Amino acid sequence: MIVGAGFAGYRTARTLSRMTRGRAHITLLNPTDYFLYLPLLPQVAAGVLEPRRVTVSLSDTLPNVRLVLGEADRIDLDGQTLHYTGPEGEGGTLAYDRLVLAAGSVNKLLPIPGVAEYAHGFRGLPEALYLRDHVTRQVELAAAADDPKSCAARCTFVVVGAGYTGTEVAAHGQMFTDAQVRKHPLRQGMRPRWMLLDVAPRVLPEMDEKLSTTADRVLRQRGVDVRMGTSVKEATPDGVVLTDGEFVETRTLVWCVGVRPDPLVESLGLPMEKGRLLVDPHLQVPGRPELFACGDVAAVPDLDKPGSYTPMTAQHAWRHGKVAAENVAASLGLGGARKPYRHRDLGFVVDLGGAKAAANPLGVPLSGVPAGAVTRGYHLAAMPGNRVRVAADWLLDAVLPRQAVQLGLVRSWSVPLDTSSPELARVPGGPERRQEESARSGPGAAIAADAHDGGTGAGSSQGRAGEEPAKGQPGSRATQDRPGSGTAQRRSEEELAKGRPGAEPARNWPTDEPAKGPVGGGSAKGHPVGEPAKGRSGGESARSQAGGETPKRQSGGEPTRNQPGESARNQPGGESAKNQPGGESAKNQPGGEPARKQPGGEPARNQPGGEPARNQPGGEPARKQPGGEPARNQPGGEPARNQPGGEPAKNQPGGEPAKNQPGPNPQPPAGQPPPGPDTAPGPVKRSDAPDDSGKGDS
């Protein structure tokens, strides 16, 4: 059993599959069906590569490996079982003889006010897609803005963390926005501004100083505002307060300060080292011969530097996976002797966009075009798939302009900074199990330990202020008011058809003025804790909240004519609507008191089976029929009330509006959308409209 398909988990599964050749049952548990090549993620955010280029299918590239989609919840070490939750919320249990933990890492949080609410990380594909859309949107809005102050704020992008990821995000981001501005010119004299902040004394502090100097020079030449020794003191909806006291107005805060091990390993109760599981040089957990760990969740001793542990990098994780697979096979008697992990760095590469890069292969410092060639060649060699497609995208990017469009696939609330699964975007009604577990990453868990390497705290899982949905993420019960709408509430699959019989009582259309206002006044529109509105369900609450005296237009209250509840007159259930089946039968509906113009009731004068109509065969002869008085509904006679050309019928359009038919030109109240095919008749509030809380800028 292998938990996680990052660099370590994927390499473990691939190597073990080749070594065992079907002689072992290998199961891989992962939230997604792909391996993500993280080093190229900044190019996805900048529009250089398409998202699928950096993903490698697990099923296609891992023969003889069973893929189980899900997230590990709990591990019973004594019973050798693993409990997980699938992508649709279903639970499951898997047994194992050997367990390899390679769950990877998540965003590292610091106890800085506002960061968990207003910043976004950069650990997964959803976050990269969100950033690309968000940056594109800000540039387009800035180009159309009349206010210079608003334009400058939207075109200011702050990246915190000048490590490997943050440096590449800022470098690619500046090129991306400069290209957009050529198509959408800003106000005269203005250009996009990218800021790169870090408390470290230099860019790329963990790498060679020559690499750092090269990267710093390229960033400054490109126009990036590099500020070392500076970080964020507080984040607000309108900007960030820096540690030097300056307030920078911005709508974008990208958090790249580092990573922390997946919180799953904390629940095992085994010895830890700065949030990572202690293992021996063979990647086995002491005292647990069946348990292995590798990658970012494992503190692997560095045999070349006694007393230290290998850093949390992709290079080490990739090589951990190979050694872990070999040692697992050896423990099963399917391989040779166990091997300790020993690795010497061969150098690093940093892609700075275009032909610019910084690299030191085998210790030789390079910059410019040679470094760019080495960097891209290294990535092509290291990727386990999609090499041709990646090379083709690079070629097209060199000769064609980039497509800067908003796909709108990922919302702000879908990618919270505080999450134990950055590879998954949150969806309405989806399982939010790991978000709700306080032992993992719940609100208020950001602690001072995160200010140091290996900290394991977490902040609150809240979206950006002023954006939907609410603070608790979809699937939690906390809600947040949105201007012009009712309270955003969690929806499940069953609640999507609001306003239908048997469903949850419908909410008012988000931008409508709620019907009739609060009973007795007292509470504001759309705010909780007030006297109930007649157009909302539940108790003593505002127009958009439930709880209290039951409003007249929602279930449980005095029934309205167009709302379900103690059933409205025009809705099924309860005191049955006169025009709906199942209640006090409507005169014009089947199943009730038979309507005069419906079959099965008191026979209508103009319907077969009733009192013979004067205009029907078998009835009293019409006046203008042979032997009778001419009929009112026949040509040549007095125009019938129900026929064109006569006195308009009460139940026909153009006549006196019927009691059970919409009038010719119903006039809704102010703010009410005009009646349509889904709108209740008459001047009442629309309650069966779809919940629109998922819309809006994210």
Side-chain angles (χ1 to χ4, degrees):
M1 171 67 60
I2 303 169
V3 179
F7 279 92
Y10 180 84
R11 185 77 183 276
T12 301
R14 192 175 74 166
T15 304
L16 197 57
S17 174
R18 292 175 178 175
M19 293 184 66
T20 59
R21 297 184 181 275
R23 294 176 292 172
H25 296 283
I26 306 172
T27 301
L28 176 62
L29 178 67
N30 196 58
T32 65
D33 64 350
Y34 60 81
F35 159 75
L36 177 65
Y37 190 76
L38 272 170
L40 293 182
L41 206 56
Q43 297 191 30
V44 174
V48 178
L49 297 177
E50 287 302 309
R52 288 188 297 174
R53 303 295 186 259
V54 299
T55 62
V56 178
S57 171
L58 298 178
S59 300
D60 293 346
T61 58
L62 296 178
N64 301 319
V65 175
R66 176 196 175 199
L67 174 63
V68 177
L69 294 178
E71 298 179 79
D73 291 333
R74 180 173 56 86
I75 299 174
D76 182 358
L77 296 177
D78 295 329
Q80 294 192 4
T81 57
L82 181 146
H83 303 272
Y84 72 96
T85 299
E88 296 182 351
E90 73 281 6
T93 302
L94 299 169
Y96 64 85
D97 296 313
R98 301 290 186 273
L99 177 64
V100 180
L101 289 178
S105 54
V106 298
N107 295 308
K108 183 166 80 171
L109 302 176
L110 301 179
I112 299 176
V115 166
E117 292 84 356
Y118 308 123
H120 288 283
F122 203 79
R123 290 291 302 164
L125 194 57
E127 293 171 319
L129 292 176
Y130 164 74
L131 183 62
R132 185 171 71 177
D133 273 6
H134 176 76
V135 170
T136 301
R137 177 168 55 254
Q138 296 307 311
V139 172
E140 292 173 349
L141 292 175
D146 295 327
D147 180 17
K149 186 177 180 181
S150 173
C151 180
R154 292 189 181 280
C155 278
T156 300
F157 308 93
V158 179
V159 181
V160 183
Y164 185 95
T165 302
T167 300
E168 288 196 340
V169 168
H172 282 277
Q174 185 71 64
M175 290 188 65
F176 182 48
T177 52
D178 285 346
Q180 282 187 270
V181 167
R182 286 193 287 269
K183 301 177 184 178
H184 302 278
L186 302 178
R187 300 178 65 89
Q188 186 174 3
M190 297 185 66
R191 65 167 296 191
R193 175 193 183 193
W194 283 77
M195 297 182 66
L196 181 62
L197 312 177
D198 203 309
V199 294
R202 58 186 176 90
V203 175
L204 301 173
E206 69 277 8
M207 298 184 184
D208 183 82
E209 189 171 353
K210 293 183 179 180
L211 281 180
S212 174
T213 302
T214 300
D216 186 273
R217 183 179 67 253
V218 171
L219 290 172
R220 294 181 187 275
Q221 289 175 349
R222 196 165 287 168
V224 178
D225 186 357
V226 181
R227 299 194 185 185
M228 295 295 99
T230 306
S231 188
V232 173
K233 182 179 180 182
E234 181 182 359
T236 70
D238 300 321
V240 294
V241 180
L242 305 184
T243 52
D244 59 7
E246 180 183 354
F247 180 76
V248 177
E249 291 191 7
T250 181
R251 302 292 185 270
T252 309
L253 179 59
V254 186
W255 194 254
C256 302
V257 298
V259 296
R260 59 191 176 100
D262 191 292
L264 171 67
V265 297
E266 298 177 12
S267 63
L268 299 179
L270 297 174
M272 310 283 288
E273 173 63 30
K274 293 184 177 180
R276 295 195 283 173
L277 195 61
L278 273 175
V279 297
D280 61 22
H282 300 94
L283 307 182
Q284 279 184 294
V285 175
R288 293 283 180 179
E290 78 286 354
L291 182 59
F292 296 77
C294 54
D296 291 347
V297 299
V300 181
D302 191 339
L303 299 181
D304 294 331
K305 299 177 182 178
S308 63
Y309 300 92
T310 58
M312 298 167 65
T313 64
Q315 278 196 15
H316 282 291
W318 187 251
R319 290 162 177 81
H320 285 175
K322 181 181 179 181
V323 174
E326 292 173 346
N327 290 339
V328 168
S331 71
L332 296 172
L334 301 177
R338 295 191 309 161
K339 298 179 181 179
Y341 177 75
R342 189 184 298 271
H343 170 67
R344 182 174 64 89
D345 289 335
L346 301 178
F348 288 92
V349 294
V350 181
D351 192 332
L352 300 176
K356 301 296 181 69
N360 62 345
L362 301 176
V364 179
L366 298 175
S367 61
V369 176
V374 169
T375 298
R376 296 199 168 183
Y378 169 79
H379 287 315
L380 286 179
M383 287 193 69
N386 291 347
R387 295 186 180 94
V388 175
R389 290 185 173 93
V390 169
D393 274 6
W394 282 338
L395 178 61
L396 292 175
D397 181 68
V399 298
L400 297 176
R402 298 180 193 175
Q403 292 178 297
V405 294
Q406 302 177 52
L407 299 180
L409 300 178
V410 182
R411 304 289 187 178
S412 173
W413 52 265
S414 299
V415 284
L417 180 64
D418 178 16
T419 173
S420 57
S421 301
E423 64 274 11
L424 292 177
R426 295 294 175 258
V427 295
E432 304 300 327
R433 167 191 46 78
R434 302 188 72 182
Q435 289 292 85
E436 296 171 358
E437 294 182 7
S438 59
R440 305 276 177 101
S441 56
I447 57 176
D450 266 335
H452 309 286
D453 291 339
T456 59
S460 62
S461 302
Q462 297 179 359
R464 190 175 181 86
E467 297 172 337
E468 37 70 42
K471 297 183 178 180
Q473 299 304 318
S476 71
R477 300 208 178 261
T479 57
Q480 173 181 352
D481 280 355
R482 176 171 166 233
S485 72
T487 304
Q489 301 200 12
R490 180 174 69 173
R491 294 192 304 168
S492 65
E493 294 286 343
E494 296 80 17
E495 295 171 350
L496 294 178
K498 290 186 168 53
R500 298 179 183 175
E504 180 183 347
R507 300 181 175 89
N508 287 330
W509 189 260
T511 56
D512 289 345
E513 178 185 352
K516 293 192 178 180
V519 181
S523 64
K525 301 178 182 179
H527 291 277
V529 191
E531 195 166 342
K534 293 185 179 180
R536 296 299 301 173
S537 63
E540 190 170 326
S541 63
R543 299 185 181 184
S544 298
Q545 291 290 342
E549 178 184 345
T550 310
K552 293 186 178 180
R553 296 207 167 178
Q554 289 296 333
S555 58
E558 178 182 346
T560 62
R561 295 185 179 179
N562 297 307
Q563 291 289 344
E566 179 182 314
S567 304
R569 294 185 180 179
N570 295 329
Q571 292 292 340
E575 179 185 346
S576 304
K578 293 186 178 180
N579 296 327
Q580 292 293 339
E584 177 185 342
S585 305
K587 294 185 178 181
N588 293 330
Q589 291 293 339
E593 177 184 345
R596 295 187 177 181
K597 295 194 173 178
Q598 291 292 339
E602 177 184 345
R605 295 187 178 181
N606 294 329
Q607 292 292 336
E611 177 184 345
R614 295 184 178 180
N615 304 321
Q616 293 292 335
E620 180 182 346
R623 293 185 180 179
K624 290 216 170 173
Q625 292 292 336
E629 180 182 351
R632 295 185 179 181
N633 294 330
Q634 291 294 335
E638 179 182 350
R641 295 185 179 183
N642 293 332
Q643 292 294 333
E647 179 181 348
K650 293 185 179 181
N651 292 332
Q652 292 294 334
E656 178 182 346
K659 294 183 179 180
N660 296 324
Q661 294 291 338
N665 291 305
Q667 298 297 326
Q672 171 71 26
D678 295 328
T679 308
V684 295
K685 300 306 294 181
R686 180 172 181 172
S687 61
D688 59 347
D691 188 353
D692 201 30
S693 63
K695 294 184 179 180
D697 179 19
S698 58

